[in-house]
Amino acid sequence: MLTIFQKATILSKAGFEVPACPAEDVSATSAGAVSQKMHDWAKAIETLYVSYVAARAAKSLRDAEESRQTDMLRRLSLSAWAA
């Protein structure tokens, strides 16, 4: 499973505008607690990442369907020339 920081890196490399990670003020938060700003940032990254993954999956499906149709048309064309 990818961490939120890995997802942010993937998104930035893919050309998405990733919001800057908020700086944690250790003195203001108790041990193990996550600030609201950090939680909001993580939620924004997760939302962007889900959109990115869905778009990649949709593109993959479109490419596969286009390839299938091209192959079918090629076979039909070859059988028409053979007749």
Side-chain angles (χ1 to χ4, degrees), residues 10-61:
I10 290 168
L11 288 168
S12 65
K13 286 182 180 180
F16 282 78
E17 189 174 325
V18 178
C21 180
E24 283 291 310
D25 182 8
V26 178
S27 62
T29 59
S30 62
V34 178
S35 72
Q36 185 62 36
K37 287 181 184 179
M38 190 67 171
H39 178 73
D40 292 344
W41 177 77
K43 187 174 180 180
I45 296 298
E46 287 291 343
T47 302
L48 283 172
Y49 191 75
V50 167
S51 298
Y52 166 71
V53 170
R56 282 184 49 110
K59 182 185 182 315
S60 179
L61 288 173

Side-chain angles (χ1 to χ4, degrees), residues 49-83:
Y49 191 75
V50 167
S51 298
Y52 166 71
V53 170
R56 282 184 49 110
K59 182 185 182 315
S60 179
L61 288 173
R62 284 192 306 271
D63 290 348
E65 178 62 16
E66 181 182 342
S67 177
R68 185 194 69 79
Q69 287 180 356
T70 301
D71 187 50
M72 179 186 65
L73 290 172
R74 186 176 296 122
R75 279 188 265 140
L76 287 172
S77 176
L78 288 174
S79 66
W81 280 101

